[in-house]
C-alpha cells in the first residue's frame, strides 16, 4: 500500500508538471501572436493564471484586478500600446506572495497575468506574530485568505520578527540556520509518513532544534539543523528498532546530535 501511494504521488507530480509546462507553452505562443495585435487593439479585459508553484491560492483574480486598477487606473478599453507591461510586472513582483510573473496581450485583446505564488515551507511563530518562509528563504506575511498547513517553528527561534521586518537574516549563522531548517522541513515533506508525523519544530537554548511528533511523548533533539539526512535515518531506526512497544516505557527524549549514537532518556 505504501509503495502504491508513493507511485500515485509521483504520477500526480509528473501530471502537474506536464500540465504547467503545456500551459506555459500555450502562453508563449499566445504572447508571440499577440504582439502584432497590440499596436492596433484595445484592452478587452484582464485574465489571471496562477501556475502550480503553490497550492495555497493566496492570490485571486479579483485581487490582481484591484491592484492594477488602484495603481494603473482602468485598463479596459484603453489602447494596448499605451499600457506599460514592464511597469505592471514590476508592480506585481513587489507583492509579498508573488514569486514571479509575466504580463502580455493575446489576439483577443486580453491582458494576461501569469503568476507563480510563493510556496510556504515553514511558519515561524514569535511573540509578536508569525510569518511564512519559502524554500528560497524569503520571508513573507501570513495571509487572511488562506492558512497553509506547514510545520510551525516556535520557541527561541534565531530568525525572528526583527529579521522578518528587515527581510534580512543579518548574519551568516542565521542564514545557515534558516536554510538548514528549510532543508529539514523539505526532507520531512518528501516522505508521507514523516510529513504526517511532525508538524512542530521547537527551539531551545539547551538543545537547539527539537521535533515534536503529533503522537507520542518523544522529543527528537536535532540540535543544529545540519546533516539532516543522517538524523532522519536515526529517527527511522528509533521507530523500527528501539522504541518500546509498551507506551508507558517509551522515552521522552531521543538525542540525534552525536555521530553513531542515538541517546534515549
Amino acid at each position: 500500500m505504501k509503495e502504491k501511494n508513493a507511485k500515485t504521488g509521483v504520477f500526480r507530480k509528473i501530471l502537474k508538471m506536464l500540465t504547467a509546462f503545456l500551459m506555459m507553452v500555450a502562453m508563449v505562443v499566445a504572447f508571440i501572436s499577440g504582439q502584432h495585435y497590440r499596436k492596433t487593439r484595445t484592452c478587452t479585459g484582464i485574465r489571471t493564471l496562477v501556475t502550480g508553484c503553490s497550492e495555497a491560492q493566496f492570490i485571486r483574480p479579483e485581487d490582481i484586478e484591484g491592484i492594477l486598477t488602484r495603481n494603473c487606473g482602468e485598463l479596459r478599453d484603453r489602447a494596448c500600446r499605451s499600457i506599460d507591461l514592464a511597469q505592471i510586472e514590476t508592480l506585481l513582483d513587489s507583492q509579498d506572495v508573488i514569486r514571479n510573473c509575466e504580463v502580455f496581450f493575446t489576439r483577443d485583446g486580453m491582458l494576461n497575468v501569469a503568476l507563480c505564488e510563493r510556496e510556504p515551507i515553514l511558519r515561524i511563530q514569535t511573540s509578536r506574530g508569525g510569518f511564512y518562509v519559502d524554500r528560497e528563504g524569503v520571508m513573507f506575511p501570513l495571509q487572511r485568505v488562506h492558512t497553509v498547513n506547514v510545520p510551525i517553528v516556535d520557541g527561541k527561534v534565531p530568525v525572528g520578527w526583527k529579521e522578518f521586518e528587515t527581510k534580512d537574516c543579518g548574519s551568516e549563522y542565521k542564514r545557515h540556520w534558516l536554510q538548514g531548517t528549510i532543508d529539514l522541513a523539505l526532507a520531512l515533506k518528501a516522505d508521507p509518513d514523516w510529513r504526517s508525523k511532525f508538524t512542530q519544530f521547537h527551539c531551545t537554548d539547551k538543545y537547539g532544534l527539537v521535533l515534536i511528533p503529533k503522537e507520542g511523548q518523544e522529543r527528537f533533539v536535532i540540535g543544529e539543523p545540519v546533516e539532516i539526512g543522517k538524523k532522519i535515518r536515526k529517527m527511522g531506526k528509533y521507530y523500527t528498532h528501539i522504541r518500546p512497544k509498551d507506551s508507558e516505557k517509551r522515552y521522552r527524549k531521543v538525542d540525534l546530535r552525536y555521530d553513531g549514537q542515538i541517546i534515549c532518556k
Side-chain angles (χ1 to χ4, degrees), residues 155-168:
K156 300 284 187 179
V157 186
V159 178
W161 195 258
K162 177 183 176 182
E163 287 74 22
F164 167 66
E165 287 187 320
T166 61
K167 299 293 187 293
D168 183 9

PDB file of all heavy atoms in Angstrom, residues 155-168:
ATOM      1  N   GLY A 155       9.419  28.930  19.908  1.00  0.00           N
ATOM      2  CA  GLY A 155      10.437  28.901  20.961  1.00  0.00           C
ATOM      3  C   GLY A 155      11.509  29.949  20.729  1.00  0.00           C
ATOM      4  O   GLY A 155      11.240  31.047  20.230  1.00  0.00           O
ATOM      5  N   LYS A 156      12.739  29.622  21.063  1.00  0.00           N
ATOM      6  CA  LYS A 156      13.874  30.541  20.926  1.00  0.00           C
ATOM      7  C   LYS A 156      14.418  30.499  19.488  1.00  0.00           C
ATOM      8  O   LYS A 156      15.525  30.026  19.229  1.00  0.00           O
ATOM      9  CB  LYS A 156      14.976  30.154  21.908  1.00  0.00           C
ATOM     10  CG  LYS A 156      14.561  30.187  23.368  1.00  0.00           C
ATOM     11  CD  LYS A 156      14.473  31.615  23.893  1.00  0.00           C
ATOM     12  CE  LYS A 156      14.234  31.634  25.389  1.00  0.00           C
ATOM     13  NZ  LYS A 156      14.179  33.000  25.935  1.00  0.00           N
ATOM     14  N   VAL A 157      13.631  30.999  18.561  1.00  0.00           N
ATOM     15  CA  VAL A 157      13.978  30.920  17.141  1.00  0.00           C
ATOM     16  C   VAL A 157      15.044  31.967  16.809  1.00  0.00           C
ATOM     17  O   VAL A 157      14.849  33.158  17.066  1.00  0.00           O
ATOM     18  CB  VAL A 157      12.736  31.147  16.265  1.00  0.00           C
ATOM     19  CG1 VAL A 157      13.064  30.912  14.799  1.00  0.00           C
ATOM     20  CG2 VAL A 157      11.596  30.237  16.699  1.00  0.00           C
ATOM     21  N   PRO A 158      16.185  31.558  16.230  1.00  0.00           N
ATOM     22  CA  PRO A 158      17.236  32.539  15.881  1.00  0.00           C
ATOM     23  C   PRO A 158      16.776  33.602  14.895  1.00  0.00           C
ATOM     24  O   PRO A 158      17.204  34.748  14.951  1.00  0.00           O
ATOM     25  CB  PRO A 158      18.342  31.659  15.272  1.00  0.00           C
ATOM     26  CG  PRO A 158      18.114  30.303  15.844  1.00  0.00           C
ATOM     27  CD  PRO A 158      16.628  30.166  15.999  1.00  0.00           C
ATOM     28  N   VAL A 159      15.900  33.209  13.965  1.00  0.00           N
ATOM     29  CA  VAL A 159      15.388  34.145  12.962  1.00  0.00           C
ATOM     30  C   VAL A 159      13.980  34.542  13.385  1.00  0.00           C
ATOM     31  O   VAL A 159      13.039  33.759  13.270  1.00  0.00           O
ATOM     32  CB  VAL A 159      15.368  33.511  11.552  1.00  0.00           C
ATOM     33  CG1 VAL A 159      14.779  34.484  10.539  1.00  0.00           C
ATOM     34  CG2 VAL A 159      16.764  33.091  11.143  1.00  0.00           C
ATOM     35  N   GLY A 160      13.845  35.781  13.901  1.00  0.00           N
ATOM     36  CA  GLY A 160      12.578  36.204  14.470  1.00  0.00           C
ATOM     37  C   GLY A 160      11.952  37.393  13.771  1.00  0.00           C
ATOM     38  O   GLY A 160      12.176  37.640  12.588  1.00  0.00           O
ATOM     39  N   TRP A 161      11.177  38.158  14.542  1.00  0.00           N
ATOM     40  CA  TRP A 161      10.400  39.261  13.976  1.00  0.00           C
ATOM     41  C   TRP A 161      11.283  40.363  13.394  1.00  0.00           C
ATOM     42  O   TRP A 161      10.950  40.967  12.381  1.00  0.00           O
ATOM     43  CB  TRP A 161       9.473  39.829  15.036  1.00  0.00           C
ATOM     44  CG  TRP A 161       8.399  40.704  14.457  1.00  0.00           C
ATOM     45  CD1 TRP A 161       8.346  42.072  14.446  1.00  0.00           C
ATOM     46  CD2 TRP A 161       7.224  40.266  13.768  1.00  0.00           C
ATOM     47  NE1 TRP A 161       7.227  42.518  13.812  1.00  0.00           N
ATOM     48  CE2 TRP A 161       6.513  41.425  13.376  1.00  0.00           C
ATOM     49  CE3 TRP A 161       6.698  39.015  13.434  1.00  0.00           C
ATOM     50  CZ2 TRP A 161       5.305  41.369  12.687  1.00  0.00           C
ATOM     51  CZ3 TRP A 161       5.505  38.957  12.749  1.00  0.00           C
ATOM     52  CH2 TRP A 161       4.829  40.124  12.381  1.00  0.00           C
ATOM     53  N   LYS A 162      12.415  40.605  14.042  1.00  0.00           N
ATOM     54  CA  LYS A 162      13.324  41.645  13.546  1.00  0.00           C
ATOM     55  C   LYS A 162      13.795  41.303  12.136  1.00  0.00           C
ATOM     56  O   LYS A 162      13.813  42.157  11.238  1.00  0.00           O
ATOM     57  CB  LYS A 162      14.519  41.789  14.480  1.00  0.00           C
ATOM     58  CG  LYS A 162      15.556  42.801  14.009  1.00  0.00           C
ATOM     59  CD  LYS A 162      16.756  42.839  14.955  1.00  0.00           C
ATOM     60  CE  LYS A 162      17.838  43.781  14.432  1.00  0.00           C
ATOM     61  NZ  LYS A 162      19.025  43.787  15.324  1.00  0.00           N
ATOM     62  N   GLU A 163      14.170  40.043  11.926  1.00  0.00           N
ATOM     63  CA  GLU A 163      14.639  39.611  10.612  1.00  0.00           C
ATOM     64  C   GLU A 163      13.500  39.656   9.589  1.00  0.00           C
ATOM     65  O   GLU A 163      13.710  39.964   8.415  1.00  0.00           O
ATOM     66  CB  GLU A 163      15.217  38.195  10.691  1.00  0.00           C
ATOM     67  CG  GLU A 163      16.557  38.094  11.386  1.00  0.00           C
ATOM     68  CD  GLU A 163      16.465  38.239  12.907  1.00  0.00           C
ATOM     69  OE1 GLU A 163      15.366  38.004  13.458  1.00  0.00           O
ATOM     70  OE2 GLU A 163      17.477  38.589  13.526  1.00  0.00           O
ATOM     71  N   PHE A 164      12.290  39.337  10.051  1.00  0.00           N
ATOM     72  CA  PHE A 164      11.136  39.397   9.153  1.00  0.00           C
ATOM     73  C   PHE A 164      10.873  40.825   8.684  1.00  0.00           C
ATOM     74  O   PHE A 164      10.625  41.072   7.493  1.00  0.00           O
ATOM     75  CB  PHE A 164       9.898  38.848   9.860  1.00  0.00           C
ATOM     76  CG  PHE A 164       8.602  39.139   9.157  1.00  0.00           C
ATOM     77  CD1 PHE A 164       8.326  38.584   7.914  1.00  0.00           C
ATOM     78  CD2 PHE A 164       7.664  39.981   9.733  1.00  0.00           C
ATOM     79  CE1 PHE A 164       7.132  38.856   7.259  1.00  0.00           C
ATOM     80  CE2 PHE A 164       6.474  40.263   9.087  1.00  0.00           C
ATOM     81  CZ  PHE A 164       6.203  39.698   7.842  1.00  0.00           C
ATOM     82  N   GLU A 165      10.932  41.775   9.596  1.00  0.00           N
ATOM     83  CA  GLU A 165      10.654  43.176   9.247  1.00  0.00           C
ATOM     84  C   GLU A 165      11.698  43.724   8.271  1.00  0.00           C
ATOM     85  O   GLU A 165      11.374  44.501   7.369  1.00  0.00           O
ATOM     86  CB  GLU A 165      10.606  44.036  10.505  1.00  0.00           C
ATOM     87  CG  GLU A 165       9.353  43.813  11.337  1.00  0.00           C
ATOM     88  CD  GLU A 165       9.240  44.797  12.492  1.00  0.00           C
ATOM     89  OE1 GLU A 165      10.281  45.101  13.122  1.00  0.00           O
ATOM     90  OE2 GLU A 165       8.134  45.267  12.759  1.00  0.00           O
ATOM     91  N   THR A 166      12.950  43.337   8.455  1.00  0.00           N
ATOM     92  CA  THR A 166      14.019  43.847   7.574  1.00  0.00           C
ATOM     93  C   THR A 166      14.232  42.969   6.344  1.00  0.00           C
ATOM     94  O   THR A 166      14.961  43.362   5.432  1.00  0.00           O
ATOM     95  CB  THR A 166      15.346  43.937   8.348  1.00  0.00           C
ATOM     96  OG1 THR A 166      15.713  42.621   8.811  1.00  0.00           O
ATOM     97  CG2 THR A 166      15.208  44.862   9.558  1.00  0.00           C
ATOM     98  N   LYS A 167      13.582  41.758   6.341  1.00  0.00           N
ATOM     99  CA  LYS A 167      13.757  40.774   5.253  1.00  0.00           C
ATOM    100  C   LYS A 167      15.230  40.397   5.083  1.00  0.00           C
ATOM    101  O   LYS A 167      15.711  40.143   3.991  1.00  0.00           O
ATOM    102  CB  LYS A 167      13.195  41.335   3.938  1.00  0.00           C
ATOM    103  CG  LYS A 167      11.704  41.650   3.996  1.00  0.00           C
ATOM    104  CD  LYS A 167      10.878  40.389   4.144  1.00  0.00           C
ATOM    105  CE  LYS A 167       9.375  40.667   4.033  1.00  0.00           C
ATOM    106  NZ  LYS A 167       8.828  41.467   5.126  1.00  0.00           N
ATOM    107  N   ASP A 168      15.945  40.362   6.224  1.00  0.00           N
ATOM    108  CA  ASP A 168      17.375  40.052   6.182  1.00  0.00           C
ATOM    109  C   ASP A 168      17.737  39.269   7.434  1.00  0.00           C
ATOM    110  O   ASP A 168      17.448  39.709   8.553  1.00  0.00           O
ATOM    111  CB  ASP A 168      18.191  41.345   6.108  1.00  0.00           C
ATOM    112  CG  ASP A 168      19.697  41.081   5.998  1.00  0.00           C
ATOM    113  OD1 ASP A 168      20.077  39.906   5.815  1.00  0.00           O
ATOM    114  OD2 ASP A 168      20.468  42.041   6.120  1.00  0.00           O
TER     115      ASP A 168
END
